[in-house]
Structure formats: C-alpha cells, structure tokens
C-alpha cells in the first residue's frame, strides 16, 4: 500500500501536466512567472504547479469597429464604421509586451479611424474608400507590429452623413444631370441644324431633289389616317416667286 500511493501521485502529476494544442494554437509556458518557451500544436507536457500555459489563437480575427463620429476636413459631421482583420504572428510579444492585445488593437483602430477621417474631405471619404482603408491599415499595423500583431486588412464599410447634407447632395446631382441633359439636347439641335443646312444647300442646286423630298413628304402624310387637306404647288411657282423677289430687290437698289 505504501508503494502504491507514490505511484498514483506520480501518475496524477504526469496526467495533469498533459496539454493538447490545436493546429491554430500556440502555448506560452511560464515557469514560476518567467517566460520559458512556446509550444506548438499537438500533445505536450508541462510541469504541474510550477508551469503555467497560456494558449494563443493564431487565426485571423475579425474585429468590428463601432461607429465613430468625426468631422471631415471640410467641416462635415460623419459617422464611419470599419472592420479590421488581424492575427498574432509573435505570441510571446502579444502576451508579454501588451496587456489584452485584442482591446489594444480595437482602441488603436478607433483612434486611427477618427484621425484619418478628419484629414480628408467628404468627397474623398465617399469616392476613395479603398485608398483610405489601405492608409488606415498601414497606420494601425505600424502601431501593432511591436506587439507581435499583424493587421491583415482594414475596410471602411459604412459612411453616414446628415439628412440635410444628403438632400443637398441629391439636389446637386440632379442639377448636374439637368445641365448635362440640356447640353446634350443643344448639341443635338446644333448637329441637326448643320445637317439641314447642308441638305438645303444641296437641294438648292438640284431641283429634282426638292421634288423627291416633296413626294416623300406626301407619302408620309398619306400613310397616316387623318383628314388633312394638302394643296400642292409646283416647284416652278416657288422658283418664279423667288426670281420676282430678287428682281424687286434689284430694282429697289437701283432706284435708291
């Protein structure tokens, strides 16, 4: 019986010191409060009572940053939401160098987000979100690098602006669309006038072209079901009237 008790005690110590780490975990071993080593995934063993193991998740962590109210460079109040993806690359630093690295990363992202948004205008914030997200990621990564944490990506996912500013932007966009529509219509009328002028110049030298155009017009009018009465005059009458007008102008000029 006296031999069995030490054997049971030793077996208990051996079993109590066993630890199993997953593939995505690392175990930091502290011996009497001092960092000793980092254990990899699989079955490992530590000295009971003397050693203490902290397990660190090495996978990418998604951190949702709560909305931050800030003022843009052009004095527009906005509320911005962002998401940060990061992972631990040095477990020893993540535990020894900073207390609660997860909260430290979140607070760094919050302050950096407000700082970056305050340095840019509303137009830049709305149109260049990818660029600002990349800039924000670089800033956060420089802060967290000494902690053994690498920022994988930062993405601005939502930008809220006041209702009054939204109405003003909608009115501005509507005015731009109306301006563009009027310019396009004016350009179309200008092109049409040029084409009509060219057509009139060619018809003036080709009387038969005028006759063909008149016949085409009659065909188009006749295709419609209407009660319109059209009185046709030969083109010679129009030419004669034009000649009389020119003679009258010449006579007036000579008498003057």
């Amino acid at each position: 019986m006296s031999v069995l008790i030490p054997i049971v005690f030793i077996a208990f110590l051996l079993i109590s010191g066993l630890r199993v780490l997953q593939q995505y975990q690392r175990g930091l071993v502290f011996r009497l409060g001092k960092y000793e080593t980092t254990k990899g995934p699989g079955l490992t063993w530590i000295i009971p009572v003397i050693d203490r193991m902290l397990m660190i998740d090495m996978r990418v962590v998604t951190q949702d940053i709560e909305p931050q109210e800030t003022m843009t460079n052009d004095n527009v109040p906005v509320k911005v939401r962002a998401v940060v993806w990061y992972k631990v690359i040095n477990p020893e630093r993540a535990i020894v160098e900073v207390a609660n690295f997860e909260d430290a990363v979140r607070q760094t992202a919050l302050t950096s987000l407000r700082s970056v948004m305050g340095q840019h205008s509303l137009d830049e914030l709305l149109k260049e979100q990818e660029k600002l997200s990349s800039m924000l990621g670089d800033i956060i990564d420089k802060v967290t690098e000494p902690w053994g944490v690498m920022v994988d990506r930062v993405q601005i996912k939502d930008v809220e602006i006041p209702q009054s500013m939204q109405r003003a932007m909608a009115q501005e966009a509507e005015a731009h669309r109306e301006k563009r529509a009027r310019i396009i219509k004016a350009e179309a009328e200008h092109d049409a006038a040029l084409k009509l002028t060219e057509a009139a110049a060619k018809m003036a030298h080709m009387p038969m072209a005028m006759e063909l155009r008149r016949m085409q017009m009659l065909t188009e009018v006749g295709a419609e079901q209407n009660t319109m009465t059209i009185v046709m005059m030969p083109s010679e009458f129009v030419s004669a009237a034009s000649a009389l007008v020119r003679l009258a102008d010449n006579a007036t000029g000579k008498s003057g």
Side-chain angles (χ1 to χ4, degrees):
M1 187 68 179
S2 59
V3 178
L4 184 61
I5 294 177
I7 294 176
V8 173
F9 180 74
I10 293 174
F12 175 76
L13 288 179
L14 291 175
I15 295 174
S16 63
L18 292 177
R19 298 289 186 274
V20 177
L21 299 177
Q22 303 297 326
Q23 182 65 37
Y24 54 84
Q25 291 179 327
R26 299 295 182 271
L28 274 68
V29 178
F30 291 86
R31 182 162 296 165
L32 298 177
K34 183 180 178 181
Y35 171 75
E36 182 67 21
T37 184
T38 299
K39 299 288 187 177
L43 181 64
T44 186
W45 185 80
I46 61 174
I47 303 175
V49 182
I50 297 177
D51 291 346
R52 183 172 66 94
M53 177 179 287
L54 293 179
M55 295 184 182
I56 302 298
D57 196 325
M58 304 294 290
R59 293 176 294 183
V60 176
V61 179
T62 303
Q63 180 72 58
D64 192 9
I65 306 302
E66 56 264 26
Q68 294 299 301
E69 294 185 1
T70 184
M71 192 75 69
T72 62
N73 193 24
D74 49 353
N75 297 324
V76 178
V78 293
K79 184 182 291 185
V80 184
R81 293 182 176 88
V83 181
V84 179
W85 289 266
Y86 67 91
K87 63 180 179 180
V88 176
I89 58 176
N90 191 319
E92 178 186 355
R93 289 185 179 181
I95 296 299
V96 176
E97 299 294 334
V98 60
N100 194 349
F101 66 89
E102 294 180 351
D103 187 61
V105 172
R106 187 178 64 85
Q107 293 297 332
T108 302
L110 290 175
T111 55
S112 301
L113 180 62
R114 287 194 295 264
S115 176
V116 170
M117 297 305 105
Q119 297 174 6
H120 295 81
S121 63
L122 179 61
D123 288 340
E124 293 175 338
L125 183 57
L126 295 176
K127 298 178 181 179
E128 301 181 1
Q129 292 189 9
E130 290 295 332
K131 178 181 177 181
L132 295 179
S133 297
S134 178
M135 182 186 303
L136 187 60
D138 293 339
I139 294 174
I140 300 174
D141 188 61
K142 289 180 180 178
V143 178
T144 60
E145 184 179 2
W147 305 338
V149 177
M150 183 186 71
V151 176
D152 188 65
R153 183 186 175 194
V154 177
Q155 182 63 50
I156 298 173
K157 69 174 185 178
D158 189 21
V159 178
E160 295 183 8
I161 59 178
Q163 292 293 331
S164 58
M165 183 60 65
Q166 293 183 18
R167 289 192 294 268
M169 293 174 65
Q171 292 175 357
E172 182 181 2
E174 184 178 358
H176 281 295
R177 288 194 297 268
E178 184 177 356
K179 175 183 177 182
R180 183 179 178 184
R182 292 191 177 187
I183 291 175
I184 293 175
K185 183 178 180 181
E187 291 177 351
E189 292 179 353
H190 178 264
D191 294 341
L194 291 178
K195 295 297 182 182
L196 288 175
T197 302
E198 293 176 2
K202 290 182 179 180
M203 288 181 180
H205 298 288
M206 299 179 181
M208 291 303 299
M210 180 66 74
E211 288 295 332
L212 291 174
R213 178 57 185 153
R214 292 175 63 188
M215 296 300 295
Q216 182 181 4
M217 183 182 65
L218 288 175
T219 303
E220 293 175 354
V221 173
E224 300 178 0
Q225 296 180 0
N226 53 45
T227 58
M228 183 182 298
T229 302
I230 300 176
V231 179
M232 297 295 299
M233 295 180 63
S235 59
E236 288 79 3
F237 286 178
V238 178
S239 302
S242 300
L244 290 175
V245 170
R246 287 197 296 270
L247 289 175
D249 291 340
N250 292 333
T252 303
K254 291 179 179 180
S255 62

